[in-house]
Amino acid sequence: MNEIKRQILNRSVMIALIGDDEQMARHFEIEFLKQAKASLAIIIENFNSENYVGIKEEAHYLKTSASAVGAEITANLLQELEGIALQNDKAKCKQQIKSLHQSVSQVYEVIRNEG
Amino acid sequence: MKAKHAELASRHPKVVMVYENADDIAGAATIISEQIDEYRTIILNDKTAKFLTTTKPAVILFALEDITKAIHIYSQLVEEEQVNHPHYSIVMCSNRESGLAFRCCIKGLFDNYFVYQPLYEKFRLKIMIHNGIRRGLSNDQYLGVQKENFDEIDEKLAELIDQSAECKQKLLNRIEASKDEILKATDEIETKEFVPQVSPKEIMGVINEEHVKPLLASLEQDIKSGLDTLVEQLVAQKIAQQAHDKQIKAISKVKLGKVEDVINVAAKQEKDKTPTVESKAVPKKSKIPKVLIVEDNLMYRDMLVNVLRKEKYDVEEAEDGLKAIQKIKKDSFDLILMDLYMPKLDGINATKQIRLVNGGKKIPIIALTGNKDKTIVRKWASFGLKGYIVKPSTKQEILDTVNKVLN
């Protein structure tokens, strides 16, 4: 269970990046959630208009933030979504976006419960 | 990469770009809007033809899904006389379709083409727009490219360019005047009813003696005096350069002498075991290194800024390649950290452009990349990378890479 939680939000990644500054880490975690919400909306909009390049670009953008805060599962899903979008496979994209939505919700839960 | 919508509007545009996908034209649209205010992008729909008929722009660019579509749309506009005013047409294409675009231009369908996917040659786009507008508008309607759009260059070289251009313009004016004179001369001969009595050879002889020879002599004088000025300038430049080189040599001799003295003193002090003077021999570098971070992701950019500022670096930031180039033109930097995928201008193309900016050739660049595709990183490295950081990386890795490059 702990290992799974660690993969949802591996806090040691951000500590290694910005240093052991709890307040700043908290700030970036909240920023990530805001960004994820906005990016998910853009990804869904692009999915509805079948703009696969747009999906890939937005996934790539959010992947940088997810990797930086240590949201490892989310970052992996985004990496996969980049590849799936290039295949123009609507069904696979839909499934991946659902998984992505779920993983961001899990990050939100961890931040809210352990803040 | 964050998609940005480029909606640019002018009520009386001289330049219009017809597009289908706003993301595709973001880079090109920004470049044109920097050059001319009377510019507008319009999406291709059932109102496009009416818009072009009403506004009659001097330059029309077609950035459509592919060239075939551009050919169809443009042909239809011309055939139905919805675009029936004099204009300069440019077809925008991907690198893959450049051969087809070239063919269209050779056949005279479009006046020119520009490869905007990927966008490499910003200034070629600018010169096409400039020539297109100049062809369609008078000097009063279009003032030309303003000084702020030029890169900084050596003042003397700028002067030389201006004078050479002036010299060429004079030459062209004289040629034009010669043509007029010859036509006038022929008219005169015809009106004097010389034609029936004089043979064509004799007419040519008269024209030659009375008009062409004096004009050629005058042209020769013009060119000679123009060239003399240029040669004088080049000689003056060379003399100045030689004087400067001599001065540098003299200074280095003095400096070398001082260094030797310092070494001798230091050696003596080492012998005397008085290490306090050592700091005078090797002064510490006092300048704070100035670093530019170019990254479109605001959050990651903030993190990097934070890491470097804590280490007392002077840090500036830019959200894409174009903004970075603008900053580099205004300010000098000791190091650039740059992302690969960015809107408007990506890392590879931004690096290429930076190398062309005055002083940009020597700025060390570190790539920020999450990309595992070594081919892309290798391609980027060919434009001069000093290192790379795999995102997100750690504070220690970032500082080690930065310090290694700066030292």
Side-chain angles (χ1 to χ4, degrees):
Chain A
M1 182 63 192
N2 280 342
E3 179 57 23
I4 294 171
K5 208 179 271 179
R6 195 182 65 80
Q7 287 170 344
I8 293 170
L9 187 66
N10 185 354
R11 286 193 156 118
S12 64
V13 172
M14 193 158 41
I15 291 170
L17 177 56
I18 63 166
D20 198 2
D21 184 332
E22 215 173 284
Q23 209 178 339
M24 192 178 289
R26 179 83 181 152
H27 162 76
F28 282 125
E29 282 175 1
I30 291 166
E31 279 305 305
F32 169 68
L33 288 176
K34 284 185 198 166
Q35 206 178 73
K37 191 181 168 191
S39 284
L40 269 170
I42 294 172
I43 287 173
I44 291 166
E45 196 186 313
N46 284 327
F47 172 79
N48 289 334
S49 57
E50 296 187 23
N51 177 3
Y52 295 104
V53 176
I55 295 176
K56 188 206 171 286
E57 287 177 352
E58 198 57 38
H60 181 82
Y61 181 78
L62 187 61
K63 188 181 73 179
T64 300
S65 315
S67 308
V69 294
E72 292 175 345
I73 293 176
T74 308
N76 279 336
L77 287 169
L78 287 161
Q79 168 88 43
E80 285 167 9
L81 181 58
E82 280 189 69
I84 294 169
L86 285 180
Q87 297 162 18
N88 291 10
D89 187 331
K90 197 164 186 180
K92 272 191 187 172
C93 267
K94 189 177 180 180
Q95 191 49 48
Q96 193 72 8
I97 293 168
K98 274 186 182 174
S99 307
L100 179 63
H101 189 268
Q102 200 182 353
S103 80
V104 172
S105 305
Q106 286 173 330
V107 177
Y108 170 75
E109 286 302 320
V110 172
I111 293 172
R112 197 184 65 166
N113 295 333
E114 298 181 3
Chain B
M1 186 162 70
K2 189 94 172 156
K4 297 275 186 297
H5 193 268
E7 192 58 58
L8 297 150
S10 163
R11 287 183 65 195
H12 305 289
K14 290 170 184 163
V15 179
V16 168
M17 175 146 53
V18 183
Y19 72 96
E20 282 189 294
N21 185 350
D23 291 343
D24 291 347
I25 60 157
T30 310
I31 291 166
I32 304 170
S33 65
E34 281 172 3
Q35 184 178 356
I36 181 160
D37 292 334
E38 295 95 337
Y39 165 55
R40 182 150 178 189
T41 55
I42 55 160
I43 194 152
L44 179 70
N45 55 27
D46 51 357
K47 290 174 189 159
T48 308
K50 196 181 172 195
F51 179 83
L52 293 173
T53 313
T54 322
T55 55
K56 299 191 189 319
V59 180
I60 310 172
L61 301 101
F62 293 89
L64 304 182
E65 195 183 323
D66 53 35
I67 301 249
T68 315
K69 191 158 187 184
I71 295 170
H72 282 304
I73 297 291
Y74 185 52
S75 308
Q76 198 182 339
L77 287 168
V78 173
E79 210 174 289
E80 291 173 8
E81 295 194 11
Q82 283 154 327
V83 173
N84 61 359
H85 66 283
H87 63 278
Y88 190 77
S89 58
I90 300 170
V91 63
M92 309 285 277
C93 66
S94 65
N95 195 30
R96 191 168 40 87
E97 286 197 302
S98 55
L100 180 55
F102 172 74
R103 190 190 170 101
C104 290
C105 297
I106 289 292
K107 293 282 177 188
L109 174 59
F110 295 104
D111 294 303
N112 219 327
Y113 74 95
F114 180 72
V115 176
Y116 75 126
Q117 286 174 331
L119 201 161
Y120 287 133
E121 295 181 273
K122 168 182 163 182
F123 291 108
R124 201 178 98 75
L125 178 58
K126 288 196 169 197
I127 192 70
M128 279 197 306
I129 299 290
H130 172 76
N131 288 338
I133 302 174
R134 240 179 29 169
R135 209 170 78 163
L137 300 174
S138 66
N139 287 345
D140 296 341
Q141 291 169 299
Y142 176 57
L143 296 172
V145 176
Q146 299 304 299
K147 208 179 169 185
E148 56 268 22
N149 281 306
F150 296 140
D151 281 348
E152 284 287 318
I153 57 165
D154 179 73
E155 213 174 288
K156 285 201 170 154
L157 183 58
E159 251 175 53
L160 193 65
I161 294 171
D162 289 344
Q163 285 181 356
S164 304
E166 203 182 316
C167 177
K168 186 191 162 184
Q169 197 50 50
K170 271 187 187 168
L171 177 70
L172 292 174
N173 292 344
R174 296 296 301 177
I175 291 171
E176 206 52 43
S178 332
K179 276 188 200 164
D180 292 345
E181 289 285 331
I182 290 168
L183 284 173
K184 205 174 141 194
T186 319
D187 285 349
E188 274 174 14
I189 290 166
E190 277 173 0
T191 49
K192 282 176 188 169
E193 293 178 352
F194 274 177
V195 185
Q197 291 91 27
V198 188
S199 71
K201 199 178 171 187
E202 281 170 317
I203 295 173
M204 283 316 292
V206 173
I207 293 173
N208 211 16
E209 281 303 315
E210 289 185 11
H211 299 281
V212 177
K213 275 188 181 172
L215 283 169
L216 281 176
S218 160
L219 269 176
E220 200 180 324
Q221 188 53 42
D222 266 5
I223 295 168
K224 191 179 170 299
S225 64
L227 285 177
D228 284 348
T229 319
L230 293 182
V231 170
E232 271 169 27
Q233 278 189 354
L234 288 171
V235 169
Q237 265 187 351
K238 198 172 177 182
I239 292 169
Q241 186 61 44
Q242 280 169 348
H244 179 70
D245 289 349
K246 269 186 190 170
Q247 214 177 346
I248 297 273
K249 268 186 192 170
I251 291 167
S252 13
K253 266 186 190 170
V254 173
K255 276 188 180 167
L256 277 174
K258 279 184 182 168
V259 172
E260 276 159 18
D261 290 345
V262 172
I263 291 168
N264 289 338
V265 171
K268 191 175 177 294
Q269 281 159 354
E270 176 64 24
K271 206 176 168 186
D272 297 343
K273 303 211 173 194
T274 48
T276 44
V277 191
E278 204 177 312
S279 58
K280 279 186 187 172
V282 189
K284 278 193 177 173
K285 212 177 174 183
S286 59
K287 192 188 162 234
I288 300 168
K290 199 164 188 178
V291 182
L292 177 64
I293 296 175
V294 192
E295 161 71 57
D296 65 325
N297 187 302
L298 174 64
M299 201 174 100
Y300 187 60
R301 196 168 74 227
D302 276 353
M303 287 175 169
L304 291 175
V305 168
N306 205 280
V307 167
L308 292 177
R309 280 204 181 132
K310 272 188 181 168
E311 296 300 313
K312 311 286 178 212
Y313 285 104
D314 183 359
V315 187
E316 287 220 20
E317 46 191 302
E319 66 193 53
D320 58 57
L322 275 184
K323 293 257 166 62
I325 290 166
Q326 284 163 2
K327 283 198 177 255
I328 291 160
K329 280 180 185 172
K330 284 181 194 158
D331 212 341
S332 62
F333 292 92
D334 299 296
L335 175 67
I336 300 170
L337 265 68
M338 183 146 51
D339 185 22
L340 174 60
Y341 292 112
M342 290 179 290
K344 292 181 187 170
L345 198 62
D346 65 29
I348 296 178
N349 288 307
T351 304
K352 274 191 203 173
Q353 299 294 330
I354 288 167
R355 295 307 182 215
L356 299 174
V357 173
N358 243 2
K361 208 170 181 178
K362 289 179 184 167
I363 309 175
I365 297 177
I366 294 175
L368 295 168
T369 174
N371 201 299
K372 285 162 191 155
D373 185 348
K374 285 184 181 164
T375 324
I376 295 181
V377 178
R378 215 170 285 141
K379 185 184 168 194
W380 194 0
S382 68
F383 297 104
L385 287 181
K386 284 285 177 188
Y388 69 93
I389 291 168
V390 179
K391 292 197 280 187
S393 203
T394 66
K395 184 179 176 177
Q396 201 50 52
E397 283 165 351
I398 293 165
L399 292 175
D400 285 349
T401 313
V402 167
N403 290 331
K404 194 178 161 190
V405 172
L406 284 173
N407 292 330

